[in-house]
Amino acid sequence: MDKYIINGGEKLCGSVEIQSAKNTVLPLLAASILTDEPVKIRGVPMINDVESMLHILTEVGCKIQRKKDCALIDSAGAVSHEIPTRLTKELRSSVFMLGPLLSRFHRAKISYPGGCDIGLRPIDLHLSGLKRLGVEIVEKDGYIHCETKKLVGAEILLDFPSVGATENIMLAAVKAEGITVIRNAAKEPEIVDLQRFLNAMGAKVCGAGGGTIAIEGVKRLRGVDFVPIGDRIEAGTYLIAVASCGGEIETRGVPPENIAALLHKLRENGCKIYTKNDKIILTSDGRLRSVDIVETMPFPGFPTDLQAQYTALCATAKGSTLIVENLFETRYRYAAELKRMGADITVRGRTACVRGVEKLHGACVTAGDLRGGAALVLAALKAEGQSSVVELSYIDRGYGEFEEKLKKLGAKIRRVRI
Ligand code: EPZ
C-alpha cells in the first residue's frame, strides 16, 4: 500500500496536459463491442478504472492492446455475455456493458455494479429503459439476467437525467430496429462525446447535449480511431488546487464551457480566469473570499464530482459557504478527515456548512472515495506543515500521474510505500 507525504504551503505554478475523460473513455470501451472491427481510443489515461474495464472486455473475449496512452480493442472474438462478479464489483461502469452485450448477444448477465461508496446508486433507470427496448429482465441471487428476442426502438422518458442510464440506453439502441427517443436525457459533455464516437462508427444519433436524444437503429457499426474529449473533472481539480494554494495554472484540453459552473464560482472567490479555445488560465493570490452557496446539479450545473475538491477550497476561504449535494446521498465522508486538519465543517444530510478558517494544519488522513481523496490532497497542499494521505487506491481510479502533475506545478508531494 502507498501513501502521499505532502508538505503544504507552496504556491503552485505551471501548465497541465489534461488526460482523456475517464467518464467518456469508460462508456467508449463498453461501446467497442458493438462492432467486430478494431477500435482504437487515444489518450486513454493510465488509471485503475480503465484497467478494470479492459479486464471486463478481455473476460467477454476481446483482444486488447494497451500502448502507452492508446487502447486497441478487437472484439471479433467476443463470445461471452456474462461478466464475473469480481469485476462488476470493482466499478460502476460495468453496468454500461448491459446495452452492448444485449446488442451483440441478445443476452447479458452481470451482478450489481460496485463503484465509489457515495450513495445508494440504484440502476432502476437503466433497467426500465432496457425493458422499453424489449429486454426481459430477471433479478435473482444478486444477478441481473437480461434477454431479448430483438431490440426494438421506443420512446423512453427518464425520471432523472441519469448519465449512466442515458449511455446504457444509447448503447442498446444504436443497432435496435427503428427509432429510439430518450427524453430528459443527461446533457453532460461525456454524452455528447459518446454520440460523436457512435456516429463515427456509423450510428445515427442526434440531440446529445440537449434534453432529448434520437437514435435511428442501423444494421452494422464499423471500427474507429478516436480521440475523446479532455477530462473536465481532472482539469477542475487542478484549477481548484491552484485557486486555493495561490499561483498560476494553464490547463489545456478542456473547453471552458465544460466547467463553466466551476469557473463562475472561482471568479466569485476572487480568482482571475482567462480562457481561449480549450485553454484555461487561472491566477490566484491564495486569499479567497467565500461564496454563499454552491448546489451540485446535473450538467450544466455545478458538477457533483467537483463538490469535495471545492469544499476543501472553502475550508480556508474568508467567510462561510453552504454546500448542497443534490445527486448523491453520502458524498461528504471526506469532511471528517478535513476536520482533522482543522476545517470547520458541519454536515447535515445533503448539506454542509463550511466556515473558513485562517489555516489548516497537517494531519494523517484517509481517502474513502475517488473525489474525496483528491480533496484531501488539495487540503494538504494548502495546510501548514506535513500531511500524509493513505488509501491511494481510490485516487488511482481516476487520476493518472497525479503526484507527477502536482510536482510539476511545484507541489512538495511524494509517494512512499508503507
Ligand atoms: C456518472 O455516474 C459518473 N460516473 C459519476 O462520476 C458522476 O458523479 C455521475 O455520473 C453524475 O454526474 C461515470 O460516468 C463512470 P447518474 P452515474 O446515473 O452514471 C440516481 C466520478 O467521480 N440514479 O447520473 O452512476 C443516482 O442514485 C463518478 O467520476 C437512479 O436513481 O450517475 C444518483 O442519485 C462518481 N437510478 C443520480 O441518479 C438509476 O438507474 C445521478 O446518477 C441511475 C441513477
Side-chain angles (χ1 to χ4, degrees), residues 22-23 92 121-125 162-164 305 327 371:
K22 166 179 88 79
N23 293 347
R92 171 81 180 174
R121 308 191 80 177
I123 58 170
D124 56 314
L125 299 176
S162 154
V163 170
D305 292 349
L327 279 88
R371 306 303 177 185

Side-chain angles (χ1 to χ4, degrees), residues 24-40:
T24 286
V25 166
L26 295 171
L28 297 193
L29 290 172
S32 62
I33 69 166
L34 290 168
T35 176
D36 49 15
E37 295 179 14
V39 167
K40 184 171 194 176

Side-chain angles (χ1 to χ4, degrees), residues 25 28-29 39-44 69-73 197 226 228:
V25 166
L28 297 193
L29 290 172
V39 167
K40 184 171 194 176
I41 301 173
R42 295 175 184 272
V44 175
D69 65 350
C70 278
L72 192 64
I73 303 101
F197 179 80
F226 192 79

Side-chain angles (χ1 to χ4, degrees), residues 233-241 306 309 371 374 378 399 402:
I233 305 303
E234 187 198 19
T237 302
Y238 290 111
L239 289 163
I240 293 171
L306 288 172
Q309 302 92 311
R371 306 303 177 185
L378 268 51
Y399 290 95
F402 195 37

Side-chain angles (χ1 to χ4, degrees), residues 222-252:
R222 56 181 177 266
V224 68
D225 183 339
F226 192 79
V227 182
I229 53 169
D231 192 321
R232 61 197 174 98
I233 305 303
E234 187 198 19
T237 302
Y238 290 111
L239 289 163
I240 293 171
V242 177
S244 175
C245 294
E248 176 164 309
I249 182 173
E250 174 185 305
T251 63
R252 289 190 296 276

